[in-house]
Amino acid sequence: MVEIDTMPELEQALAEVAAEMAERTDRGSVATYIPQLGKVDPGKFGIAAVTNDGRVILAGDADQPFSIQSVSKVFTLTLALGKIGDALWHRVGREPSGNPFNSIVQLEHENGIPRNPFINAGAIVISDVLLAGHQPREAIGEILRFVQFLADDDTIVIDREVAASERATGHRNFALANYMKSFGNLHHEPELALGVYFHHCAIGMSCRQLAIAGRFLANGGRNPTTGHSVVSTERARRIGALMLTCGHYDGSGDFAFRVGIPGKSGVGGGILGIVPGVASLAVWSPGLNENGNSKLGSIALEKLARMMNWSIFAP
Ligand code: GLN
């Protein structure tokens, strides 16, 4: 793993990557199946790195909030593990799916147990776990407050229009939830679990806020600046392992191959990347590739990782 004394290059590397991405015309396509996301300007690009020694380095539109969508699944997984621990693994698997994020095909063969917590079906089960003993609005409030705590920023809010837009068009997610309910793997009404799910996907954050929120994962479960312990070291490693193997859906292998660090993407075009022991990274470019992952975001992280010699496989 790279030593901290190579850090002065980081500012320059981020600026170079952002300048190169600004020039590119092959930006992918913004998600339109959630109509509200289809309104976002594909020309946006932001990137943030927060090092474990506390430096915050930004380039491009790094302070503009965007819809974090499935990146939020890292935070709901963390909360659900805190709530029920390893019992979670009776209801959700931890294998890459090799299928699109909203696929239904495996659920029948696997008796309503989603392959992993990051595909939609898995995250809907996690919303159901977080609902236990709560009204949906309380569960949503708990998730939002957790994200605000991680980012040390209580200005972070849920974009109600995005949540409503997704609910209005979320027929596939309703299908997934109803199907899992038929196997007994949702304990609440599908409508309620989906209410929680749509709202946490609609959290709006900037690259700066997202990178700060990911710091505990880059530092063995503890925020290195505040000293707040979020999860155990073992749990932080395991969440990182799931991000590496499942964080980009059927593009997870390619992201690991090209970038070499754990990452979690969302259809809003954001990616949270973790360089264990070194830094938490966030990138945003709304245009997506064929797997529904940020096209330029993945390319930017690949370039940055190469420039900085960052890889979990680096000697
Ligand atoms: N809210 C989105 C959906 O359910 C999340 C998908 C994603 O970000 N990959 O379709």
Side-chain angles (χ1 to χ4, degrees):
M1 195 51 61
V2 70
E3 296 298 324
I4 296 292
D5 62 13
T6 62
M7 285 301 174
E9 300 164 21
L10 181 53
E11 211 148 309
Q12 198 187 337
L14 243 62
E16 265 178 43
V17 167
E20 194 181 326
M21 294 304 123
E23 296 289 304
R24 289 186 73 138
T25 50
D26 54 333
R27 307 186 77 84
S29 330
V30 296
T32 49
Y33 77 98
I34 300 175
Q36 203 65 17
L37 295 184
K39 298 180 182 170
V40 178
D41 175 2
K44 297 285 179 183
F45 179 89
I47 188 163
V50 183
T51 60
N52 280 9
D53 60 353
R55 297 203 304 147
V56 179
I57 300 155
L58 310 173
D61 303 305
D63 273 318
Q64 181 168 335
F66 59 90
S67 191
I68 65 167
Q69 292 294 317
S70 289
V71 184
S72 61
K73 295 172 183 173
V74 173
F75 307 127
T76 54
L77 169 65
T78 304
L79 269 181
L81 284 170
K83 203 161 179 164
I84 64 168
D86 286 341
L88 183 68
W89 306 122
H90 298 303
R91 295 180 60 189
V92 187
R94 39 181 200 249
E95 292 292 345
S97 68
N99 277 312
F101 61 85
N102 55 6
S103 170
I104 202 165
V105 294
Q106 273 162 349
L107 276 179
E108 179 163 23
H109 298 300
E110 298 176 2
N111 300 319
I113 311 287
R115 269 287 170 104
N116 67 64
F118 293 151
I119 53 174
N120 288 10
I124 294 166
V125 169
I126 288 193
S127 288
D128 189 68
V129 168
L130 296 177
L131 252 180
H134 290 305
Q135 296 296 321
R137 67 172 180 284
E138 294 166 342
I140 293 164
E142 186 182 353
I143 297 165
L144 181 62
R145 281 190 299 279
F146 181 58
V147 170
Q148 291 173 335
F149 160 73
L150 292 175
D152 193 20
D153 190 335
D154 59 13
T155 67
I156 294 167
V157 290
I158 291 172
D159 186 329
R160 307 265 157 202
E161 285 185 3
V162 172
S165 178
E166 183 166 354
R167 178 185 287 279
T169 56
H171 308 296
R172 273 185 185 244
N173 287 326
F174 278 96
L176 291 169
N178 279 301
Y179 203 50
M180 291 190 291
K181 180 73 177 171
S182 77
F183 285 100
N185 199 18
L186 283 193
H187 298 172
H188 302 83
E189 287 307 312
E191 170 76 18
L192 301 182
L194 286 169
V196 175
Y197 173 78
F198 293 143
H199 281 83
H200 75 65
C201 286
I203 294 173
M205 290 171 87
S206 65
C207 290
R208 179 204 295 264
Q209 291 166 329
L210 194 54
I212 293 174
R215 295 190 74 191
F216 72 101
L217 292 171
N219 189 52
R222 183 184 291 269
N223 181 315
T225 299
T226 63
H228 288 142
S229 180
V230 181
V231 293
S232 67
T233 301
E234 182 182 49
R235 189 160 285 167
R237 288 181 185 175
R238 288 178 159 177
I239 294 168
L242 288 166
M243 290 171 74
L244 184 75
T245 53
C246 311
H248 283 73
Y249 314 109
D250 42 344
S252 298
D254 195 54
F255 186 85
F257 182 83
R258 284 166 43 199
V259 188
I261 62 169
K264 181 73 205 84
S265 75
V267 289
I271 303 176
L272 172 66
I274 301 299
V275 192
V278 180
S280 171
L281 313 172
V283 63
W284 172 51
S285 176
L288 308 178
N289 63 21
E290 57 287 352
N291 299 125
N293 302 312
S294 175
K295 179 167 182 173
L296 294 193
S298 312
I299 293 171
L301 288 179
E302 180 181 4
K303 286 185 181 294
L304 182 65
R306 185 166 302 162
M307 286 163 108
M308 298 305 296
N309 190 29
W310 283 344
S311 164
I312 60 165
F313 306 104

